[in-house]
Amino acid sequence: MIERSSIEISLSDIAQKSGANAALVKYHFGNKDGLLLALLARDAATEMSNLEYLLAQPITSTAKLKLHIAGIIRAYYRFPYMNRLIHYLLHETNAGSADEVSKFFVAPLLDFHRRLLTEGVSRGEFRATDPVLFYTSLIGACDHLFFGRHAMSRATGVGPVTDDVCRQYIKHMETLICGGILTQAEEAAAAG
C-alpha cells in the first residue's frame, strides 16, 4: 500500500509480497477487508496506547495537546495508507467493519480528546471546547493534508508530504489550534 500509494491491492499481491500463499492469507483473515481491518487494528492499538501514556504524563495540558497534535500528524505520515484505509473501512465496506473501526479507533480517540480537554479546562489552560468539534477539526485537517494532497498537487503544484512539510504542518496546526483553545493567560505563558 505504501509503495503504490493506494489501498487497491489484492490478496494475491499481499501473498506475493509477503512470501505467503494467498489461501493462507485468506484462511487467517477471511478476505481482503478482514486483513485490512486487522492491519488498522494493529496500528491503532499502538497509537491508542501512546495516548494513554501521554495523558498520564506530569506535564501541562498544553504540552500534552502539542505532543498530541504532532503525534497525530506523524502517525498519518508514518502510515500513509492509514487515512485511506479508515475511509475505506468506515464508508465502503460492510457495517461490521465500520463498527469495528469506530470501536478501536474513533471512540477511543474521541474519549482521549474529551479527557484531555476536560483536564485542560479544569487546570485553567483551555477554553471550554466540544470534543467532537475538536476531533473533527484536528483529524479533518490531518486527513486533508494526506488525503487531499493529491487534489492540491493537481491544482497548485504542491509536492508530496515530506519530513519538512510534516514539521511545518505540525507548527501550523499547533498555532492554529492553540490560538483557538488556550485561555488568554495560557496563551501569554506559551508565548514566553
Side-chain angles (χ1 to χ4, degrees):
M1 290 187 291
I2 293 172
E3 285 174 7
R4 293 182 186 179
S5 191
S6 172
I7 62 167
E8 294 302 319
I9 55 171
S10 68
L11 281 178
S12 297
D13 294 334
I14 294 166
Q16 182 181 14
K17 190 75 175 171
S18 69
N21 144 342
L24 185 61
V25 173
K26 189 172 182 162
Y27 172 78
H28 283 288
F29 300 103
N31 56 27
K32 178 181 144 185
D33 289 351
L35 174 67
L36 295 176
L37 189 61
L39 174 65
L40 185 60
R42 180 202 69 187
D43 293 345
T46 301
E47 296 306 316
M48 294 307 140
S49 68
N50 291 340
L51 295 179
E52 291 305 316
Y53 178 78
L54 177 60
L55 204 55
Q57 295 309 297
I59 57 178
T60 66
S61 299
T62 303
K64 291 176 189 179
L65 175 64
K66 288 180 177 183
L67 288 169
H68 176 58
I69 291 167
I72 289 287
I73 294 169
R74 286 190 183 110
Y76 272 80
Y77 182 63
R78 193 170 51 250
F79 304 112
Y81 55 83
M82 185 180 285
N83 71 343
R84 287 187 186 143
L85 195 51
I86 291 166
H87 280 278
Y88 173 76
L89 292 168
L90 282 172
H91 306 291
E92 298 177 34
T93 61
N94 62 57
S97 292
D99 288 346
E100 286 300 310
V101 172
S102 293
K103 282 181 203 169
F104 67 70
F105 185 79
V106 178
L109 192 51
L110 274 167
D111 182 58
F112 170 80
H113 289 161
R114 181 191 53 74
R115 292 184 294 152
L116 177 59
L117 293 169
T118 299
E119 174 189 289
V121 169
S122 71
R123 290 180 173 183
E125 295 177 44
F126 299 166
R127 294 179 178 103
T129 303
D130 181 286
V132 173
L133 295 178
F134 177 84
Y135 172 94
T136 303
S137 300
L138 177 59
I139 301 305
C142 293
D143 184 53
H144 195 72
L145 175 67
F146 292 92
F147 194 70
R149 191 78 171 180
H150 301 290
M152 287 190 309
S153 68
R154 287 182 175 82
T156 64
V158 296
V161 178
T162 62
D163 287 334
D164 189 46
V165 170
C166 195
R167 282 190 295 277
Q168 289 174 22
Y169 202 63
I170 288 168
K171 291 305 283 174
H172 170 74
M173 290 304 296
E174 284 177 0
T175 301
L176 191 65
I177 290 174
C178 290
I181 198 171
L182 297 182
T183 60
Q184 289 178 344
E186 189 59 29
E187 269 186 285

